[in-house]
Amino acid sequence: MLSDLKRIPTIAVYGLTGCAGELLVILENLDKLLPFVKLRSFPFAQSHNEITPVDIALIEGSVSQPHDLEKLKEIRARSRWLVAVGNCAVWGCVQAEGCKRFSLTEMVSSVYGNDSKIAAMESKPLADHVKVDVKLSGCPINASQFLAVVASLLKDNLPYITHKPLCLECKLKENPCVLIEKNLPCLGPVTAAGCGALCPSMGAACYGCWGPCETPQMDAMATVLLEKGFQFDEVLGRLTTFGAPHDLFKRMSEFKTAEN
Ligand code: SF4
Ligand code: SF4
């Protein structure tokens, strides 16, 4: 147990299908963690790794191949807390959204050619397969938020992570609204807070890389963007790149049919 103060807590870091962005953030911040934990495994960063029970397993990437699933279940079975780290692990991200639009065969052949022997499966977030204790969004994750999550777990507490809309952070910073004032397609109203409203603070539109906020009003967001003159395909693409409710494609297609 982490509450056993005589024992140094153990962590392990793994990657499934993803770009390694989260692994890099963790690597960059490892020196802040190592005084408090023992690192049992981090195949991305070191060659000697142990397969052993750990207190905290941090996993980046989505489940997109059978060996991802096998690995995920094996890690889950020997970890006290399992943290889905980053948008691929939490939402499935680009690869999962692609699977909602195209067949697996179309996706595999377009990337690897028709003779590919790649064993692909429909790309999904971790929680679709195993119990996930903490979902830490971001593309990539915010280092401070990541360290706060680990600190909380080391004290045996599940961390509080807000999934309120990004507009809340943006307003607290008193940024001018780029959606209203510059007519930019900002996704702040449907995106989870956590990045500190990075893009609108620089005068740019949020493109939703933190994934959807709690109860995102996607239909209303789509209506606003279409009314502002953005094309249907652009709106659909923006709303679905980093994670969207499963039925959004269907709803948007109905919307398009009704419009025509
Ligand atoms: S700029 Fe974007 S995030 Fe900021 S208030 Fe406007 S819509 Fe929300
Ligand atoms: S403002 Fe939006 S796109 Fe920019 S970092 Fe934050 S969540 Fe990502």
Side-chain angles (χ1 to χ4, degrees):
M1 299 289 288
L2 300 192
S3 49
D4 175 2
L5 296 178
K6 290 187 188 137
R7 190 175 68 72
I8 298 180
T10 51
I11 66 165
V13 187
Y14 299 99
L16 303 180
T17 299
C19 72
E22 271 57 64
L23 302 181
L24 281 171
V25 174
I26 295 172
L27 188 58
E28 280 168 3
N29 289 277
L30 210 50
D31 58 331
K32 300 182 187 83
L33 289 181
L34 287 182
F36 309 104
V37 299
K38 265 195 186 147
L39 180 65
R40 293 292 193 205
S41 186
F42 194 170
F44 178 75
Q46 61 185 26
S47 46
H48 179 69
N49 295 292
E50 298 171 44
I51 300 175
T52 180
V54 288
D55 294 305
I56 305 171
L58 305 155
I59 305 184
E60 180 207 274
S62 67
V63 177
S64 306
Q65 299 181 74
H67 67 78
D68 284 343
L69 183 56
E70 216 174 290
K71 190 166 156 187
L72 174 64
K73 287 182 175 169
E74 187 274 318
I75 297 165
R76 173 68 276 185
R78 60 182 165 82
S79 308
R80 173 144 193 247
W81 302 114
L82 191 148
V83 186
V85 188
N87 211 312
C88 292
V90 174
W91 287 102
C93 206
V94 178
Q95 56 271 38
E97 292 306 314
C99 288
K100 292 178 197 161
R101 282 203 216 197
F102 308 103
S103 74
L104 211 49
T105 316
E106 280 175 307
M107 287 186 46
V108 170
S109 63
S110 70
V111 177
Y112 299 103
N114 291 331
D115 300 328
S116 164
K117 300 282 187 286
I118 293 277
M121 55 191 279
E122 190 182 342
S123 193
K124 291 195 171 167
L126 307 192
D128 280 24
H129 294 287
V130 298
K131 176 174 176 270
V132 169
D133 300 300
V134 182
K135 294 179 181 178
L136 183 60
S137 289
C139 187
I141 49 166
N142 174 296
S144 308
Q145 210 174 25
F146 164 70
L147 291 170
V149 162
V150 176
S152 184
L153 292 177
L154 291 178
K155 289 183 191 162
D156 247 356
N157 296 324
L158 276 174
Y160 171 73
I161 301 174
T162 178
H163 291 286
K164 299 279 182 227
L166 180 79
C167 289
L168 203 67
E169 282 184 324
C170 193
K171 289 296 171 202
L172 286 171
K173 287 191 150 184
E174 300 186 1
N175 292 331
C177 178
V178 299
L179 180 66
I180 294 170
E181 295 190 17
K182 290 178 154 182
N183 206 37
L184 295 178
C186 187
L187 298 190
V190 293
T191 299
C195 71
L198 203 55
C199 300
S201 300
M202 307 297 285
C206 168
Y207 50 88
C209 82
W210 236 253
C213 62
E214 59 192 37
T215 58
Q217 304 299 309
M218 292 289 189
D219 295 8
M221 185 82 241
T223 304
V224 168
L225 294 179
L226 291 168
E227 280 174 2
K228 282 181 170 288
F230 296 99
Q231 295 303 305
F232 180 88
D233 287 342
E234 185 187 352
V235 172
L236 183 61
R238 285 185 79 83
L239 286 176
T240 54
T241 302
F242 290 96
H246 279 278
D247 60 346
L248 183 67
F249 281 100
K250 188 167 169 287
R251 294 208 312 269
M252 289 290 283
S253 304
E254 286 164 1
F255 188 93
K256 190 174 187 182
T257 311
E259 285 283 289
N260 290 336

